[in-house]
Amino acid sequence: MKTKLLLIALVSIFSFASCTQEFICQCEISYEGAQPGLPEPAIKEFFIKDKKDEAAKKCEENSSTQVGEDITMNQACRLF
């Protein structure tokens, strides 16, 4: 009986531990506009430790577009 309980406990621990992982969120930042000398596109990365669906949601929430004085900055984020 103790062996079965120990086995169930070990399986449960590994099951819960595998749900939460560390993912990489990669954001590409690009600029558009008529102004000369705009920065080249850049990629920034950061880690998110969560379940895959939640990590993807948190990552994609960082995507944005900002417009100001004839320059548009786009930040597109996706999970790896």
Side-chain angles (χ1 to χ4, degrees), residues 27-74:
C27 299
E28 180 179 3
I29 303 166
S30 61
Y31 299 89
E32 298 173 2
Q35 303 267 342
L38 292 174
E40 293 293 319
I43 294 178
K44 297 197 179 200
E45 296 180 342
F46 60 93
F47 295 98
I48 299 175
K49 188 171 185 176
D50 209 332
K51 295 177 184 176
K52 187 173 184 177
D53 292 341
E54 288 298 314
K57 183 179 172 183
K58 289 177 183 177
C59 178
E60 292 168 5
E61 286 175 351
N62 288 291
S63 295
S64 65
T65 300
Q66 297 178 4
V67 180
E69 297 187 32
D70 299 329
I71 298 174
T72 303
M73 188 218 46
N74 293 308

